[in-house]
Amino acid sequence: KNQVEQSPQSLIILEGKNCTLQCNYTVSPFSNLRWYKQDTGRGPVSLTIMTFSENTKSNGRYTATLDADTKQSSLHITASQLSDSASYICVVSAGVTGGGNKLTFGTGTQLKVEL
Amino acid sequence: KAGVTQTPRYLIKTRGQQVTLSCSPISGHRSVSWYQQTPGQGLQFLFEYFSETQRNKGNFPGRFSGRQFSNSRSEMNVSTLELGDSALYLCASSLVPGTEASGNTIYFGEGSWLTVV
């Protein structure tokens, strides 16, 4: 069964600090891994997408890493801001015979940035 | 350009009723997928449509169904509503399914909040 596990479940940090969120997956066959940011009551917004051959990708203050051998990914947020308070969801895509992707979602890490 | 549009944004239904949710993808996007999000379960995949054909389906009962029209707009229907169907239903669109190019981002709508009482 395809699974995506994220840790920690929730995190509180002070503005300006860095943090790292973790994602472990057991998805086969692996197609790509995505990180999304979801503000409360809003739809998720894509931060990064990484395929098997990519081990790091940045989007501003967000840097995602992927270790396909250990099936782990991390999302590092640098110099956090209050607006970073949101749920961060790791999504792993499995290739499907005949085309298409089947997405497996982690339950997210709830990040709160405080003054 | 306009994003993914979902209607209605909020609705309340009674147990046993049925509901239809609508999704208009980003112009030019031909792939539409649907997800259910609940606090305890997170986001769960319902189904994916491309060119009016269901490409993939998640592990949901037959009460959940969907379709896609020739203009790529999609609807999902839930019949015989249960209390546990209360959730945020998200629609997402992309150019085509299955590509690994980093440019094939999946864009989500703001969702339809369904409350079953």
Side-chain angles (χ1 to χ4, degrees), chain A residues 1-32:
Chain A
K1 181 183 176 182
N2 291 338
Q3 286 187 314
V4 176
E5 295 183 352
Q6 292 187 243
S7 62
Q9 196 170 27
S10 62
L11 181 63
I12 300 174
I13 62 173
L14 295 177
E15 187 181 29
K17 298 296 186 183
N18 303 335
C19 67
T20 300
L21 315 180
Q22 300 291 342
C23 173
N24 296 339
Y25 63 92
T26 53
V27 174
S28 181
F30 176 84
S31 178
N32 56 63

Side-chain angles (χ1 to χ4, degrees), chain A residues 12 16 36 40 60 66 75 77 79 82 85 100-101:
Chain A
I12 300 174
Y36 281 86
T40 302
L66 173 64
L75 179 69
I77 304 174
L82 296 177
S85 296
N101 278 314

Side-chain angles (χ1 to χ4, degrees), chain A residues 30-32 34 36 38 40-46 49 51-52 54 57 89 91 96-107, chain B residues 9 35 37 40-45 48 55-59 88 90 97-102 104-111 113:
Chain A
F30 176 84
S31 178
N32 56 63
R34 310 162 190 252
Y36 281 86
Q38 185 176 23
T40 302
R42 309 293 297 274
V45 175
S46 178
I49 304 173
T51 59
F52 184 88
E54 297 172 297
K57 186 162 281 190
I89 303 171
V91 184
V96 178
T97 302
N101 278 314
K102 201 163 186 179
L103 302 183
T104 303
F105 292 80
T107 53
Chain B
R9 282 282 282 137
Y35 306 87
Q37 187 174 33
Q41 297 290 327
L43 272 152
Q44 292 187 292
F45 171 75
E48 177 188 39
R55 297 288 295 268
N56 294 299
K57 190 176 189 303
N59 299 321
L88 175 65
L90 288 162
T99 67
E100 298 185 24
S102 59
N104 188 28
T105 300
I106 296 175
Y107 295 89
F108 284 86
E110 299 290 61
W113 286 94

Side-chain angles (χ1 to χ4, degrees), chain A residues 9 14-15 35 58 87 98 112:
Chain A
Q9 196 170 27
L14 295 177
E15 187 181 29
W35 283 94
S58 293
S87 178
K112 185 175 182 182

